[in-house]
Amino acid sequence: MGTARRTSGRGTEGQKYALTPDEDDAGFWGFAQEAEGLFTPLQEEEGARRVRLVGCSPQGGLMKSLGHVGSRRAVAGNAWLEVLDADGAAMGAYFVNDVTVVDVLPSAQGGGLVDLTVTLWCDQARPGADRVWNLIRAGGLNRTGMWHELAADRRAWLSVALWSRTYQSQGKADAPAGHVFTLDGRQIVDMDSF
């Protein structure tokens, strides 16, 4: 993930996710308030996901796929699913393959929004990572060592740390050349904690 991009200016209030196609000239696919199932692999294959985009405002290629549920034209294609902060800036993004619309319903969120169910492939969105993204979004990632209490979710924590490193380092100066870092090894008990 490069520098954090601002996807706001398109009505991002309450939006936590944005879909941008992987082709530069393909436009913008829309926002969603939630992406239920993104961090839950299907049993058949670890990277397979069935994601319900709650409060979605589909646009571009995603919008074109809505009227073709059940056919080959329901496949919108590949995209970047961006995780947004409260101001609409991308904190990080996951590359998602073969985004295919499988269901469309009016959203309880109102305002012409829909709840859009899609299937896709994303083996980088680890179970438990949504908790860490929500901590970053809410400013709750505010002390060192918070990962110590995690056991099963350490890999999710690490994945978010990697995907969000550019966003989290914004405005912070790099350590000067020759700076010595001290690593406290008391909490290292396995590869993930290292």
Side-chain angles (χ1 to χ4, degrees):
M1 178 76 199
T3 60
R5 298 189 311 250
R6 181 162 302 280
T7 56
S8 64
R10 299 185 188 115
T12 61
E13 186 174 332
Q15 305 298 337
K16 295 180 182 177
Y17 299 92
L19 271 167
T20 306
D22 68 336
E23 300 170 12
D24 291 335
D25 61 346
F28 179 71
W29 282 2
F31 292 104
Q33 294 174 8
E34 296 294 338
E36 298 170 353
L38 176 62
F39 302 99
T40 308
L42 298 177
Q43 289 182 338
E44 307 88 69
E45 294 185 62
E46 190 171 321
R49 304 286 198 274
R50 184 177 180 94
V51 180
R52 184 170 170 247
L53 300 171
V54 177
C56 183
S57 58
Q59 300 174 33
L62 187 60
M63 176 70 100
K64 290 178 187 174
S65 298
L66 298 186
H68 303 286
V69 173
S71 75
R72 292 170 55 129
R73 294 178 65 193
V75 178
N78 301 333
W80 287 97
L81 200 153
E82 297 173 324
V83 182
L84 306 177
D85 69 9
D87 295 323
M91 299 186 291
Y94 295 104
F95 188 73
V96 293
N97 294 37
D98 297 326
V99 176
T100 305
V101 178
V102 295
D103 193 27
V104 183
L105 296 170
S107 179
Q109 306 300 319
L113 301 174
V114 296
D115 291 345
L116 187 63
T117 303
V118 299
T119 58
L120 54 85
W121 177 269
C122 179
D123 59 356
Q124 298 297 314
R126 295 191 152 293
D130 50 338
R131 176 178 170 237
V132 184
W133 285 118
N134 286 331
L135 280 171
I136 296 170
R137 183 181 290 116
L141 193 62
N142 53 14
R143 60 183 165 79
T144 60
M146 290 177 71
W147 63 271
H148 294 170
E149 60 204 44
L150 301 174
D153 289 346
R154 282 190 184 150
R155 287 198 177 183
W157 184 278
L158 289 172
S159 73
V160 172
L162 289 171
W163 288 108
S164 67
R165 69 185 177 276
T166 302
Y167 173 81
Q168 293 197 68
S169 65
Q170 288 180 14
K172 297 177 185 172
D174 288 339
H179 181 83
V180 176
F181 293 91
T182 304
L183 178 65
D184 180 355
R186 291 177 289 183
Q187 300 295 326
I188 298 174
V189 295
D190 56 17
M191 284 300 291
D192 291 335
S193 58
F194 178 72

